[in-house]
Structure formats: structure tokens, C-alpha cells
Amino acid sequence: MSVTTRPGGRSARVRADVHRAVAELVTEAQGELTLPVIATRAGVHPTTLYRRWGSLGELLEEVATSRFSGDIVVPDTGSLRGDLERWATDVATDLADPDSLALIRTTLGSGPDGGCACLGDRHDQLKAMLEREQERGGAVPTVERAADTLLGALYYRALFSRQPMDEPWIKDLVDMLLR
Amino acid sequence: MSVTTRPGGRSARVRADVHRAVAELVTEAQGELTLPVIATRAGVHPTTLYRRWGSLGELLEEVATSRFSGDIVVPDTGSLRGDLERWATDVATDLADPDSLALIRTTLGSGPDGGCACLGDRHDQLKAMLEREQERGGAVPTVERAADTLLGALYYRALFSRQPMDEPWIKDLVDMLLR
């Protein structure tokens, strides 16, 4: 039963078993946070939670929305470029908080339409800055394009590549969007 | 103790208790997937896992990397624009798989440098396409810029906003990057 004499034998089987166990546990873990579990921890009766929030999804959405909303003031620097740079810097700071990662992880897929409630009112904030520029007579990208470019790159670096999000990088990003 | 006569009283306290319970459980949930738990499920001795993978992070990284690597063939259409459009379409299809979401959720923060092992070899694939274009004498963006723009927008739509990722949208995205 030596690994060296039987390549692809026991060693490969252990690897396959372990990978399968991880995949199963990962899928099951999503079912462990339930309203009764939360009720017990909060010291309230489960019916209170069902009556007030209806479902786990709605409760998670409220928690995430309240965490990621109202935390950032829409800047008013006098120019769209200045506003977006200031705002993107604030979003980057917010995403660097370790508690943000835990909440984003849990609420992925919990929002209305299956998105993440962790977006809070980021789209509304972008919309407000773009509309103000339009009122000043400036040309602006769509909210969707601005979200794909700025929020896309910010969430990607914060959660996936973990590369730094410094001032020159943010300026370049805004520049690409407004070009 | 009526809610209507004491706004901000019992009702607000229940809300605060429930939000705190969710935050605590969310943080604790990250500690529930351990090497002994995986060993039991896989039917192997825990020491086998410790000897072979060293830590939970390394095991999760291997599972995610093997899931998100080698799944996409780097296209060779003759132009960088065509390659990136084909590749981004494949990444979008891959991200639409529900199992991808579960694995991404769990492996967020598990990669080397705290990034996500769920990136697999996406950066290497981008690098290969960009280098081929450079050899043809074309001007190319940096790998980092290409990743921020394409992977940023793709992961953002797949995981956060859940907006569709259709062909015209992918073409626009590649266009913005190559402009």
C-alpha cells in the first residue's frame, strides 16, 4: 500500500475523498444559520423573528443593508471626477474592515434578485453623483457602467486579488471611466 | 410594554439583539469548517490531513484552485479583442454555476496573501493572451488593469449585482479596456 509503488492509488483516493468532503461541508454550511438559531442567541422567541422578518434572507438583507448603508456621505467637491475619487476612497476604506468580509461572505446571494445585500445603497450614491453632473451640463456614463468599473474593481481587489487600492490607482480607475 | 407607546423601546432592543446575534454567528461560522471535521467526513485520519495539507487554508486553496483551474482554455482567435471576448464569456458561464458561488463564499480570504483561491489561474490566462498580442507587436494594457476591468466587472455582476452578462455587455467591457 505504499504511495510510491502505487501512484494514483491510495493517495489519489484520499485526495478525492477529502475534496468531496470539503465540497459537501461547504454546501451544508449554508444551511446552519437559521432563524431559530439566531432567536436562541438573541434571547427572543423564534415567532418574533418569523413575524418581524419573515425569512432568514430578509433578516440578513436588513443586517447587511444597515451595515453598508448611510456609512458613506455622497461627496460634493464641485466636479464629478473629484466626487468619484473621494467616494471610491471611502468605499475602499469600508471594504478593508475585516467585519465587512465576514458579512459579505454570509450575505452573498441574500439580496433581492439573488445579488448581495452588502451593496447597501452604493448604486444610489453613484446615481446621485452622476445626476448632479448631468444637471451641471456634463456628459456622464450610465450608473451600470460606473458600478461595473468602480465597484467591480474595488470589490475585486478587496475580496479576490487583495492588491492595494491606493490614490494613484483610484485616480486611474476614475480616469478610465470618464475617458 | 406596547411598541406603539414606547417607540424605540422593546422593538428597538429586539432589533439590536437580533442584529448582534447575526453578527456573532456570522463570525463564529467561519471557525466551523476544520481539518478534523473534514477528516471525519472523508473517512480518513486527521493526521493524514495535517501531514498532507498542513492547514485548512492550504486544503481550501487546493480545492478551489483545482475547481477554478484548467477549466478554461486560453482562446487563440488571432486578435486580442477576440481572445478577451471569448475568454470573458467562458468566465461568465463558469461563474453562473451555483456550486461556484458556494465555493467562492467559503474560500474568500483563503488564498495566499488573503485573496481568494477561487481565482484559479485567471491571471495567468490573461497574461498569456496579453503576451501573445505583444509578440504580434500590439499595444496592451497591464495584467493588473485587465484583471481589474474584466474580472472586476464579471465577479461584480455574478456575485453582487446579479445583472445579466450578455454578449453586447462583454464587448463593451473589452472595448473600454482596449480603448
Side-chain angles (χ1 to χ4, degrees), chain B residues 138-157:
Chain B
V140 298
T142 62
V143 179
E144 287 72 27
R145 165 57 59 92
D148 288 336
T149 308
L150 302 183
L151 292 174
L154 287 161
Y155 279 81
Y156 177 73
R157 288 214 163 186

Side-chain angles (χ1 to χ4, degrees), chain B residues 37-120:
Chain B
V37 167
I38 294 167
T40 302
R41 176 65 63 99
V44 301
H45 202 277
T47 51
T48 306
L49 268 69
Y50 284 105
R51 204 170 48 229
R52 185 141 163 190
W53 285 281
S55 70
L56 176 67
E58 281 173 69
L59 172 56
L60 286 180
E61 193 187 321
E62 186 190 281
V63 172
T65 304
S66 82
R67 166 68 186 76
F68 293 105
S69 296
D71 53 344
I72 290 180
V73 176
V74 177
D76 190 2
T77 65
S79 78
L80 179 60
R81 184 177 296 267
D83 288 352
L84 292 175
E85 287 174 0
R86 176 84 51 91
W87 178 80
T89 303
D90 289 346
V91 173
T93 303
D94 199 52
L95 287 171
D97 177 352
D99 287 347
S100 297
L101 179 62
L103 196 55
I104 287 171
R105 195 198 297 257
T106 305
T107 54
L108 270 182
S110 73
D113 316 314
C116 193
C118 62
L119 279 184

Side-chain angles (χ1 to χ4, degrees), chain B residues 74 83 123-133 143:
Chain B
V74 177
D83 288 352
H123 275 232
D124 291 344
Q125 293 165 352
L126 271 176
K127 193 156 171 269
M129 291 181 280
L130 294 170
E131 285 179 351
R132 197 160 47 207
E133 178 71 7
V143 179

Side-chain angles (χ1 to χ4, degrees), chain A residues 109-158:
Chain A
S110 74
D113 315 316
C116 192
C118 62
L119 278 185
D121 38 27
R122 298 281 177 265
H123 276 230
D124 292 343
Q125 293 165 352
L126 271 176
K127 195 156 169 268
M129 291 181 280
L130 294 170
E131 284 179 350
R132 197 159 48 207
E133 177 71 6
Q134 261 184 319
E135 281 161 21
R136 283 190 292 246
V140 298
T142 62
V143 178
E144 288 71 29
R145 165 58 59 92
D148 288 336
T149 308
L150 302 183
L151 292 175
L154 286 162
Y155 279 81
Y156 177 72
R157 288 213 163 187

Side-chain angles (χ1 to χ4, degrees), chain A:
Chain A
M1 292 287 272
S2 156
V3 169
T4 47
T5 56
R6 293 183 50 196
R10 182 169 187 280
S11 176
R13 203 176 64 235
V14 165
R15 182 176 183 276
D17 287 346
V18 170
H19 277 227
R20 191 180 324 110
V22 170
E24 285 173 11
L25 291 166
V26 159
T27 305
E28 290 168 16
Q30 294 176 61
E32 281 173 17
L33 188 67
T34 62
L35 286 185
V37 166
I38 293 166
T40 302
R41 176 65 64 100
V44 302
H45 202 275
T47 51
T48 306
L49 267 69
Y50 284 106
R51 204 170 46 229
R52 186 142 164 189
W53 284 281
S55 70
L56 176 68
E58 283 174 67
L59 173 55
L60 286 181
E61 194 187 321
E62 186 190 281
V63 172
T65 304
S66 83
R67 165 67 186 77
F68 293 104
S69 296
D71 53 344
I72 289 180
V73 176
V74 177
D76 190 2
T77 64
S79 78
L80 179 60
R81 184 178 295 267
D83 289 351
L84 293 175
E85 286 174 2
R86 176 84 52 90
W87 177 81
T89 304
D90 288 346
V91 174
T93 304
D94 199 52
L95 287 171
D97 177 352
D99 287 346
S100 297
L101 179 63
L103 196 56
I104 287 171
R105 194 197 299 257
T106 305
T107 55
L108 270 182
S110 74
D113 315 316
C116 192
C118 62
L119 278 185
D121 38 27
R122 298 281 177 265
H123 276 230
D124 292 343
Q125 293 165 352
L126 271 176
K127 195 156 169 268
M129 291 181 280
L130 294 170
E131 284 179 350
R132 197 159 48 207
E133 177 71 6
Q134 261 184 319
E135 281 161 21
R136 283 190 292 246
V140 298
T142 62
V143 178
E144 288 71 29
R145 165 58 59 92
D148 288 336
T149 308
L150 302 183
L151 292 175
L154 286 162
Y155 279 81
Y156 177 72
R157 288 213 163 187
L159 302 177
F160 297 97
S161 77
R162 292 298 285 264
Q163 286 171 285
M165 303 184 280
D166 54 15
E167 203 186 310
W169 177 76
I170 286 177
K171 278 179 181 292
D172 274 356
L173 205 60
V174 171
D175 197 57
M176 181 172 72
L177 173 66
L178 299 182
R179 212 154 51 192

